[in-house]
Amino acid sequence: MNETLFGSPLVASALFGVAMFFFFRWVFVERYSAEEAKNYAILIAFVCAVITWGAFG
């Protein structure tokens, strides 16, 4: 198992996913309503977290 700075690939990808959620929510709120921005941010943050988990795993 590959060790990362945060201890495990799962923790690192979860932290990255949370960071991406807040970033994309901030980006999308300029164009969409708050509810739509949250939904799009959740979707993209999940995809980013899965890709990161796969890269570290």
Side-chain angles (χ1 to χ4, degrees), residues 10-34:
L10 184 61
V11 173
S13 64
L15 289 174
F16 184 67
V18 168
M20 289 294 98
F21 167 74
F22 286 110
F23 173 73
F24 283 114
R25 189 179 65 172
W26 173 71
V27 169
F28 289 143
V29 81
E30 295 293 324
R31 173 167 274 194
Y32 303 110
S33 69

